[in-house]
Amino acid sequence: YGLGKADFADVLRITWPNGIVQSEVDVEKGLQILDKNTLGEQAEGLIGSCPFLYTWDGTAFTFISDVLGITPLGLPMAPGVLVPPDHDEYVLVTGEQLAANEDGEFVLQFTEELREVTYLDQVRLDVVDHPIGTEIQPNERFCFPPFPVARTHVMGNLLAPTKVTGSDGKDWTAELAAVDDTHPQPFEPLADVQFLGLATPHWLELEFDPAQVAGAEELRLVCTGWFYWTDASVNVAAARTPGVDFVPPIIEVPFDGGWRPIGPPVGFPAGKTKSMVLDLSEVLNPADPRLRIGSTLRLYWDSIRLAVGGDEEQRTTSIACSSADLWARGFSQPLPAERADLPERFVWEERSLRPRWNQHPGRYTKFGEVLELVTTVDDRFVVMGAGDALTLRFDAAALPPLPDGWTRDYLVFFDGWAKDRDPNTVEALTVEPLPFHGMSAYPYPADEAFPDTPAHRAWREQWQTREAFELIVPLSPERRSEWEAATFTPPAPRQR
């Protein structure tokens, strides 16, 4: 593109076919835009997954994970095959990740930082006390129905595998022994950018000590790791490409000299880095406790352990939210990963200098105190767009003292949905149609509709009053004039 007599372009902006906006400033004349490894190569990174959760740990807000990843709206696995959304999730926050502030409050930050819209209907904090030396995990994973039932796993005897062998022939025992950001990689990620999140078919074979398994009343596999999210376009492209498959993890056990699957795919952890717990009591042979876990996903397992025995003691105290403040924050600056096997993470104090994407067109919940909307499941939810943040506070004084020899962790309960803006996501381009708990599918059929009760009409009129705002400033003079003349101006981003 010619620059005339100018030596550089003030701004170069590329809008890629999948909707990613990439801007560069002070671009020198003569740069070969479309050469590989120059400005014209699309930057890799997350476009959509789900909202983020940060918690106050006594010193700073720490990034926990993406949440509500099991609730995607309109996400196709293949043309005409949509993922059924599971609208609620329990998210583990350890005792080291959450501490009361000087006002005696637990403070959480729930943010929308990707190209998505979020519908949050309820949030609650469950405080789980349990004996020191035990570990808790929620019963959550990304899977097709039937969805896992709510359960808090409290496990005391967790065994690391005695040996782990990959489909690549390598020994990966050390990488799976503990949660330490080291991951086995018995696969190669598919090189084509349209298949981000997919990999060559692979498996890990795990062996456990039969002497430690014998006589156990329950055997649960605790799989901890993260998945490089695919998106609707990747799923559709894979479904239409021979030899490229989206295969979630499948568990196999020894059988007649070979291996047999115990059933359909078991799902995967829905976030960075999370755990899923699988009950193998009826399928794992105590005399030969070997298994294989295989897939075609770009899944990075950090630890896979076997919990031997039933649940240990626990005491759960639920705390309702005492304040929910919706405000305009902007976007966290992604931390560059040191290795390809590490997930993209974020630091609360480091915000991006420019917006990453625009909001979905439509109406959002007005800024300010929105506690009324997140206390019960009633389809009167907080609607959040890209760049929004919700500060959640809980009264720590309501908790009972810890018994001697016990420790305390937390489960944050969320109910709601998220919808990305991938061009292959169904009903992806606007906030509407709104989801609701009674819908049979999303998008719902013509004979179903969002509730039209007096309470829901009042919610629309009183709360859904904020129009979407174009966060990325247009460059052309005509569009810039329209943008400057917009009637809505968001409040300046603030630190909370």
Side-chain angles (χ1 to χ4, degrees):
Y1 297 87
L3 298 182
K5 297 180 180 180
D7 293 326
F8 62 90
D10 296 289
V11 182
L12 173 67
R13 178 171 295 160
I14 305 172
T15 302
W16 297 96
N18 66 352
I20 290 296
V21 177
Q22 191 169 330
S23 299
E24 304 289 343
V25 297
D26 296 340
V27 181
E28 294 184 6
K29 185 177 183 178
L31 181 67
Q32 299 299 309
I33 299 299
L34 296 181
D35 277 0
K36 195 171 180 63
N37 299 321
T38 63
L39 205 57
E41 184 175 18
Q42 181 173 342
E44 185 176 321
L46 278 179
I47 304 168
S49 64
C50 25
F52 295 164
L53 176 65
Y54 304 79
T55 60
W56 179 256
D57 65 6
T59 303
F61 284 108
T62 183
F63 175 74
I64 300 299
S65 185
D66 34 0
V67 301
L68 288 179
I70 59 178
T71 69
L73 293 174
L75 176 65
M77 291 304 301
V81 181
L82 300 182
V83 175
D86 183 5
H87 58 80
D88 54 24
E89 182 184 21
Y90 291 85
V91 179
L92 174 65
V93 176
T94 66
E96 294 76 22
Q97 294 171 322
L98 183 61
N101 64 9
E102 58 186 11
D103 297 322
E105 297 174 317
F106 295 124
V107 185
L108 286 62
Q109 305 286 1
F110 179 86
T111 65
E112 184 50 86
E113 304 192 37
L114 300 178
R115 193 182 58 177
E116 302 165 334
V117 56
T118 292
Y119 314 83
L120 181 63
D121 206 1
Q122 187 187 25
V123 61
R124 185 184 73 238
L125 183 64
D126 288 350
V127 184
V128 184
D129 300 334
H130 55 101
I132 292 174
T134 61
E135 175 182 317
I136 74 165
Q137 292 290 346
N139 198 34
E140 298 286 1
R141 63 186 187 271
F142 189 110
C143 65
F144 273 67
F147 297 127
V149 297
R151 175 182 177 182
T152 302
H153 297 275
V154 187
M155 301 162 289
N157 186 15
L158 289 126
L159 306 178
T162 57
K163 186 177 181 181
V164 179
T165 307
S167 51
D168 58 353
K170 294 183 179 180
D171 187 313
W172 296 105
T173 308
E175 284 76 8
L176 281 188
V179 179
D180 56 6
D181 264 353
T182 59
H183 310 89
Q185 299 179 67
F187 59 82
E188 291 292 332
L190 296 190
D192 198 316
V193 69
Q194 71 175 344
F195 299 128
L196 282 177
L198 300 182
T200 54
H202 57 279
W203 47 258
L204 293 168
E205 182 176 327
L206 287 73
E207 302 177 27
F208 296 94
D209 184 356
Q212 295 180 294
V213 174
E217 61 177 292
E218 192 171 9
L219 296 172
R220 289 169 287 177
L221 197 67
V222 184
C223 306
T224 303
W226 71 280
F227 171 44
Y228 191 110
W229 288 104
T230 62
D231 55 34
S233 291
V234 169
N235 296 347
V236 171
R240 290 173 170 165
T241 305
V244 177
D245 298 300
F246 185 107
V247 181
I250 295 175
I251 302 292
E252 296 182 301
V253 294
F255 178 75
D256 198 21
W259 296 85
R260 66 172 178 86
I262 64 171
V266 294
F268 50 85
K272 309 179 282 288
T273 292
K274 289 183 178 179
S275 298
M276 67 177 185
V277 181
L278 306 173
D279 189 347
L280 301 185
S281 304
E282 302 298 325
V283 296
L284 197 62
N285 181 3
D288 183 14
R290 291 181 295 148
L291 61 90
R292 281 184 177 181
I293 181 168
S295 76
T296 64
L297 305 187
R298 191 169 157 185
L299 256 169
Y300 296 97
W301 296 116
D302 201 338
S303 167
I304 301 181
R305 296 164 295 158
L306 188 65
V308 179
D311 280 329
E312 302 288 339
E313 290 184 273
Q314 63 167 296
R315 180 184 67 187
T316 299
T317 305
S318 296
I319 308 177
C321 189
S322 59
S323 174
D325 181 20
L326 183 64
W327 54 290
R329 173 178 178 263
F331 303 86
S332 296
Q333 182 68 31
L335 288 176
E338 298 177 358
R339 306 189 311 268
D341 67 305
L342 294 178
E344 188 176 55
R345 294 183 172 122
F346 301 83
V347 175
W348 178 259
E349 290 81 8
E350 298 181 14
R351 283 188 282 188
S352 175
L353 296 177
R354 61 177 75 102
R356 302 176 68 189
W357 16 67
N358 287 320
Q359 297 179 340
H360 288 61
R363 289 197 170 187
Y364 295 84
T365 305
K366 64 182 179 181
F367 290 130
E369 182 61 56
V370 294
L371 179 62
E372 174 184 333
L373 304 182
V374 296
T375 54
T376 59
V377 175
D378 58 5
D379 292 325
R380 298 167 59 248
F381 29 71
V382 175
V383 182
M384 300 172 58
D388 291 349
L390 183 64
T391 301
L392 302 164
R393 299 178 183 274
F394 301 83
D395 184 6
L399 293 178
L402 264 175
D404 291 339
W406 284 44
T407 188
R408 176 168 287 169
D409 293 309
Y410 308 87
L411 295 176
V412 187
F413 173 77
F414 294 102
D415 188 287
W417 302 267
K419 178 171 68 173
D420 67 30
R421 206 174 176 183
D422 185 281
N424 281 293
T425 295
V426 182
E427 298 286 2
L429 301 183
T430 59
V431 172
E432 302 271 352
L434 299 175
F436 62 99
H437 286 85
M439 62 186 182
S440 60
Y442 188 93
Y444 31 88
D447 60 350
E448 295 180 4
F450 186 79
D452 190 29
T453 67
H456 289 90
R457 288 195 296 271
W459 168 74
R460 283 185 181 270
E461 295 171 1
Q462 298 172 17
W463 295 96
Q464 294 303 103
T465 58
R466 175 168 57 106
E467 293 288 348
F469 187 76
E470 193 172 5
L471 300 172
I472 299 175
V473 179
L475 298 184
S476 68
E478 295 81 5
R479 288 284 292 110
R480 179 65 178 263
S481 297
E482 295 174 3
W483 183 84
E484 292 175 340
T487 56
F488 172 73
T489 302
R494 52 194 169 118
Q495 193 73 31
R496 298 298 299 270

